[in-house]
Amino acid sequence: DCPFCEPDADRVWLQNDLGIVLWDAFPVTEGHSLVVPRQHVASIYELSQEVQAALWALVAEARNRLNNDLHPDAFNIGLNDGEAAGQTILHAHIHISPRRDGDVVDPRGGVRWIVPSKARYW
């Protein structure tokens, strides 16, 4: 039942032996992608150091390609590790979200907005 274990082929746009890069099915920005290990685990920290390194290499390669193809102004890159952190699909994955100047009114704080009452420190 996991959407990442056997994804539709048209969603996969980059891969290596240990992971794949998918277009997000519900993108928050143009180019929003997910880096997913081939091994089904809930947390990236259940993976060996070798697999984690392979995933971060895919993040770097995907970011580079998205940068060259879409020319965004910035990126948010991160993961939700566990249900309390907002993880809804319990197959580890890393989000890459290209960002553009003006896509939100005030982007300051980035991922700090997971707890809005504590996000604003400036």
Side-chain angles (χ1 to χ4, degrees), residues 10 12 23 29 36-37 47 59 67 86 95 101 112 120:
D10 62 336
V12 178
W23 297 116
T29 63
V36 180
L47 298 165
V59 169
N67 199 41
H95 291 261
D101 288 336
R112 295 183 61 86
R120 203 174 182 92

PDB file of all heavy atoms in Angstrom, residues 10 12 23 29 36-37 47 59 67 86 95 101 112 120:
ATOM      1  N   ASP A  10       6.095   7.476 -14.337  1.00  0.00           N
ATOM      2  CA  ASP A  10       6.168   8.865 -14.800  1.00  0.00           C
ATOM      3  C   ASP A  10       6.519   9.841 -13.684  1.00  0.00           C
ATOM      4  O   ASP A  10       6.836  10.994 -13.951  1.00  0.00           O
ATOM      5  CB  ASP A  10       4.869   9.281 -15.492  1.00  0.00           C
ATOM      6  CG  ASP A  10       3.652   9.240 -14.594  1.00  0.00           C
ATOM      7  OD1 ASP A  10       3.645   8.504 -13.592  1.00  0.00           O
ATOM      8  OD2 ASP A  10       2.681   9.961 -14.905  1.00  0.00           O
ATOM      9  N   VAL A  12       9.049   9.113 -11.461  1.00  0.00           N
ATOM     10  CA  VAL A  12      10.481   8.930 -11.187  1.00  0.00           C
ATOM     11  C   VAL A  12      11.285   9.688 -12.230  1.00  0.00           C
ATOM     12  O   VAL A  12      11.148   9.456 -13.418  1.00  0.00           O
ATOM     13  CB  VAL A  12      10.859   7.436 -11.214  1.00  0.00           C
ATOM     14  CG1 VAL A  12      12.350   7.250 -10.973  1.00  0.00           C
ATOM     15  CG2 VAL A  12      10.038   6.650 -10.206  1.00  0.00           C
ATOM     16  N   TRP A  23       8.586  13.156  -8.544  1.00  0.00           N
ATOM     17  CA  TRP A  23       7.807  14.388  -8.489  1.00  0.00           C
ATOM     18  C   TRP A  23       6.788  14.200  -7.376  1.00  0.00           C
ATOM     19  O   TRP A  23       6.156  13.148  -7.283  1.00  0.00           O
ATOM     20  CB  TRP A  23       7.095  14.644  -9.811  1.00  0.00           C
ATOM     21  CG  TRP A  23       8.014  14.858 -10.968  1.00  0.00           C
ATOM     22  CD1 TRP A  23       8.124  14.067 -12.073  1.00  0.00           C
ATOM     23  CD2 TRP A  23       8.947  15.921 -11.151  1.00  0.00           C
ATOM     24  NE1 TRP A  23       9.066  14.560 -12.921  1.00  0.00           N
ATOM     25  CE2 TRP A  23       9.600  15.705 -12.380  1.00  0.00           C
ATOM     26  CE3 TRP A  23       9.311  17.025 -10.388  1.00  0.00           C
ATOM     27  CZ2 TRP A  23      10.574  16.565 -12.872  1.00  0.00           C
ATOM     28  CZ3 TRP A  23      10.291  17.884 -10.880  1.00  0.00           C
ATOM     29  CH2 TRP A  23      10.908  17.644 -12.095  1.00  0.00           C
ATOM     30  N   THR A  29       5.280  23.640  -4.605  1.00  0.00           N
ATOM     31  CA  THR A  29       5.920  24.575  -5.531  1.00  0.00           C
ATOM     32  C   THR A  29       6.210  23.818  -6.824  1.00  0.00           C
ATOM     33  O   THR A  29       6.243  22.580  -6.841  1.00  0.00           O
ATOM     34  CB  THR A  29       7.268  25.114  -4.988  1.00  0.00           C
ATOM     35  OG1 THR A  29       8.195  24.033  -4.839  1.00  0.00           O
ATOM     36  CG2 THR A  29       7.109  25.835  -3.658  1.00  0.00           C
ATOM     37  N   VAL A  36      13.646   9.351  -2.104  1.00  0.00           N
ATOM     38  CA  VAL A  36      13.086   8.217  -1.374  1.00  0.00           C
ATOM     39  C   VAL A  36      14.051   7.034  -1.437  1.00  0.00           C
ATOM     40  O   VAL A  36      14.507   6.663  -2.524  1.00  0.00           O
ATOM     41  CB  VAL A  36      11.734   7.813  -2.023  1.00  0.00           C
ATOM     42  CG1 VAL A  36      11.116   6.639  -1.308  1.00  0.00           C
ATOM     43  CG2 VAL A  36      10.787   9.000  -2.075  1.00  0.00           C
ATOM     44  N   PRO A  37      14.347   6.405  -0.298  1.00  0.00           N
ATOM     45  CA  PRO A  37      15.167   5.195  -0.357  1.00  0.00           C
ATOM     46  C   PRO A  37      14.364   4.046  -0.961  1.00  0.00           C
ATOM     47  O   PRO A  37      13.144   3.981  -0.820  1.00  0.00           O
ATOM     48  CB  PRO A  37      15.487   4.908   1.113  1.00  0.00           C
ATOM     49  CG  PRO A  37      14.348   5.493   1.863  1.00  0.00           C
ATOM     50  CD  PRO A  37      13.921   6.715   1.072  1.00  0.00           C
ATOM     51  N   LEU A  47      18.275   3.786   8.241  1.00  0.00           N
ATOM     52  CA  LEU A  47      19.088   3.356   7.098  1.00  0.00           C
ATOM     53  C   LEU A  47      20.571   3.384   7.452  1.00  0.00           C
ATOM     54  O   LEU A  47      21.001   4.148   8.321  1.00  0.00           O
ATOM     55  CB  LEU A  47      18.842   4.291   5.910  1.00  0.00           C
ATOM     56  CG  LEU A  47      17.410   4.314   5.390  1.00  0.00           C
ATOM     57  CD1 LEU A  47      17.205   5.513   4.473  1.00  0.00           C
ATOM     58  CD2 LEU A  47      17.081   3.014   4.681  1.00  0.00           C
ATOM     59  N   VAL A  59      19.893  14.132  -3.405  1.00  0.00           N
ATOM     60  CA  VAL A  59      19.389  15.476  -3.106  1.00  0.00           C
ATOM     61  C   VAL A  59      20.231  16.509  -3.835  1.00  0.00           C
ATOM     62  O   VAL A  59      19.696  17.415  -4.494  1.00  0.00           O
ATOM     63  CB  VAL A  59      19.379  15.757  -1.583  1.00  0.00           C
ATOM     64  CG1 VAL A  59      19.123  17.231  -1.303  1.00  0.00           C
ATOM     65  CG2 VAL A  59      18.346  14.896  -0.873  1.00  0.00           C
ATOM     66  N   ASN A  67      17.726  23.403 -10.307  1.00  0.00           N
ATOM     67  CA  ASN A  67      18.286  24.743 -10.423  1.00  0.00           C
ATOM     68  C   ASN A  67      18.551  25.094 -11.884  1.00  0.00           C
ATOM     69  O   ASN A  67      18.199  26.180 -12.348  1.00  0.00           O
ATOM     70  CB  ASN A  67      19.561  24.843  -9.592  1.00  0.00           C
ATOM     71  CG  ASN A  67      19.950  26.258  -9.288  1.00  0.00           C
ATOM     72  OD1 ASN A  67      19.098  27.086  -8.982  1.00  0.00           O
ATOM     73  ND2 ASN A  67      21.236  26.541  -9.354  1.00  0.00           N
ATOM     74  N   GLY A  86       4.780  15.556  11.513  1.00  0.00           N
ATOM     75  CA  GLY A  86       3.982  15.770  10.317  1.00  0.00           C
ATOM     76  C   GLY A  86       4.165  14.735   9.227  1.00  0.00           C
ATOM     77  O   GLY A  86       3.580  14.871   8.151  1.00  0.00           O
ATOM     78  N   HIS A  95      12.198  16.084   1.212  1.00  0.00           N
ATOM     79  CA  HIS A  95      11.546  17.036   0.316  1.00  0.00           C
ATOM     80  C   HIS A  95      12.559  18.027  -0.252  1.00  0.00           C
ATOM     81  O   HIS A  95      13.422  18.520   0.478  1.00  0.00           O
ATOM     82  CB  HIS A  95      10.494  17.857   1.074  1.00  0.00           C
ATOM     83  CG  HIS A  95       9.308  17.081   1.501  1.00  0.00           C
ATOM     84  ND1 HIS A  95       8.123  17.093   0.802  1.00  0.00           N
ATOM     85  CD2 HIS A  95       9.119  16.259   2.571  1.00  0.00           C
ATOM     86  CE1 HIS A  95       7.244  16.325   1.431  1.00  0.00           C
ATOM     87  NE2 HIS A  95       7.829  15.797   2.493  1.00  0.00           N
ATOM     88  N   ASP A 101      11.366  34.159  -5.371  1.00  0.00           N
ATOM     89  CA  ASP A 101      11.093  35.438  -4.728  1.00  0.00           C
ATOM     90  C   ASP A 101       9.632  35.793  -4.937  1.00  0.00           C
ATOM     91  O   ASP A 101       9.121  35.703  -6.057  1.00  0.00           O
ATOM     92  CB  ASP A 101      11.978  36.542  -5.318  1.00  0.00           C
ATOM     93  CG  ASP A 101      13.431  36.419  -4.899  1.00  0.00           C
ATOM     94  OD1 ASP A 101      13.698  35.805  -3.851  1.00  0.00           O
ATOM     95  OD2 ASP A 101      14.298  36.943  -5.632  1.00  0.00           O
ATOM     96  N   ARG A 112      11.042  27.219  10.311  1.00  0.00           N
ATOM     97  CA  ARG A 112      10.681  27.599  11.685  1.00  0.00           C
ATOM     98  C   ARG A 112       9.175  27.746  11.853  1.00  0.00           C
ATOM     99  O   ARG A 112       8.661  27.714  12.965  1.00  0.00           O
ATOM    100  CB  ARG A 112      11.364  28.903  12.085  1.00  0.00           C
ATOM    101  CG  ARG A 112      12.878  28.800  12.148  1.00  0.00           C
ATOM    102  CD  ARG A 112      13.477  30.098  12.628  1.00  0.00           C
ATOM    103  NE  ARG A 112      13.019  30.428  13.958  1.00  0.00           N
ATOM    104  CZ  ARG A 112      13.578  29.988  15.085  1.00  0.00           C
ATOM    105  NH1 ARG A 112      14.621  29.190  15.029  1.00  0.00           N
ATOM    106  NH2 ARG A 112      13.093  30.332  16.261  1.00  0.00           N
ATOM    107  N   ARG A 120       8.743  33.605  14.674  1.00  0.00           N
ATOM    108  CA  ARG A 120       9.251  34.954  14.496  1.00  0.00           C
ATOM    109  C   ARG A 120      10.251  35.303  15.599  1.00  0.00           C
ATOM    110  O   ARG A 120       9.891  35.504  16.748  1.00  0.00           O
ATOM    111  CB  ARG A 120       8.082  35.921  14.522  1.00  0.00           C
ATOM    112  CG  ARG A 120       8.341  37.193  13.850  1.00  0.00           C
ATOM    113  CD  ARG A 120       7.066  38.042  13.800  1.00  0.00           C
ATOM    114  NE  ARG A 120       7.362  39.255  13.103  1.00  0.00           N
ATOM    115  CZ  ARG A 120       7.190  39.416  11.796  1.00  0.00           C
ATOM    116  NH1 ARG A 120       6.663  38.452  11.096  1.00  0.00           N
ATOM    117  NH2 ARG A 120       7.522  40.542  11.226  1.00  0.00           N
TER     118      ARG A 120
END
